[in-house]
Amino acid sequence: MKLFRPFNVVVDFETGDLTPGKKITRYLSDIQHFFLDKEKVKAVLAKENPLVYEVIYAEVPEEAGHLAHCTTIIYPGKVGNEFFFTKGHLHEKLETAEIYFTLKGQGRLIMASPDGEECEVLEMFPGSASYIPPCWSHRSVNVGGEPLIFYCIFFADAGHDYATIDKTGFPKVVLERNGEVVVENNPNW
Ligand code: F6R
Ligand code: ZN
């Protein structure tokens, strides 16, 4: 049996950098279809294409038994009154759980059952360790004025199903109203 060697990565709690790691970037154009206000999205994209979030992965084989881990950095911003968020997904292996440990910033974690009948929204804040049980889709939202940075641990063979969320979105949306963070039903659900 070939042994996989133990290794460290170093996480910078201030910037979310994870070294050594592999970074992916998501711009507004990548997630534009999820936002409620299509006109506002168009207006923003006519001027610029802001970076919404980055994910930096430790390099771990995508095999059963391994634990994948990464940091996510969601930059502060809104389209209209809707805060920046991640695409969101289900795990292809539905029965796999995940933990999000928040290092910096303020957020909300929207979770839904596969049929969307159940939906829960947890607060994310420095020190919160949010448990995403098996079968819940998940999307995180930056509701603050600084980057929201969190560290995720999940089964390396979980796989990511983005197609389902692409079709449906999430049952709830997180908006700013009169300077307050509010969670409302998604009118397009
Ligand atoms: C992995 C996981 C997180 C997200 C990351 C970006 O299972 O839940 O690492 O992948 O926060 O969000 P998505 O993948 O929805 O673009
Ligand atoms: Zn996940």
Side-chain angles (χ1 to χ4, degrees), residues 53 55 70 72 86 88-89 91 98 100 138 150 152 154 160 162:
Y53 65 99
V55 188
C70 62
T72 301
T86 57
H89 58 266
H91 292 161
E98 178 160 7
Y100 282 10
H138 38 288
F150 54 96
C152 312
F154 55 103
H160 291 85
Y162 292 102

Side-chain angles (χ1 to χ4, degrees), residues 91-98 131-136 155 157-158:
H91 292 161
E92 271 166 21
K93 285 198 173 162
L94 269 180
E95 68 282 8
T96 58
E98 178 160 7
Y131 186 61
I132 302 165
C135 301
W136 289 73
F155 292 95
D157 63 339

Side-chain angles (χ1 to χ4, degrees), residues 44-157:
V44 176
L45 287 175
K47 282 190 266 162
E48 51 165 356
N49 186 14
L51 177 60
V52 177
Y53 65 99
E54 296 174 301
V55 188
I56 310 171
Y57 295 94
E59 295 208 49
V60 170
E62 290 177 11
E63 292 167 9
H66 282 276
L67 289 173
H69 54 126
C70 62
T71 52
T72 301
I73 304 133
I74 309 179
Y75 292 97
K78 281 178 294 184
V79 173
N81 63 349
E82 192 172 13
F83 293 104
F84 279 4
F85 48 67
T86 57
K87 280 185 173 187
H89 58 266
L90 284 156
H91 292 161
E92 271 166 21
K93 285 198 173 162
L94 269 180
E95 68 282 8
T96 58
E98 178 160 7
I99 289 175
Y100 282 10
F101 183 68
T102 302
L103 305 175
K104 189 177 175 177
Q106 300 293 324
R108 296 290 183 275
L109 175 53
I110 310 173
M111 287 173 278
S113 57
D115 59 6
E117 288 293 305
E118 301 281 344
C119 186
E120 298 241 1
V121 180
L122 292 181
E123 295 201 4
M124 299 173 77
F125 49 87
S128 64
S130 306
Y131 186 61
I132 302 165
C135 301
W136 289 73
S137 58
H138 38 288
R139 164 181 285 167
S140 38
V141 185
N142 183 351
V143 300
E146 61 180 345
L148 172 67
I149 301 175
F150 54 96
Y151 173 71
C152 312
I153 307 176
F154 55 103
F155 292 95
D157 63 339

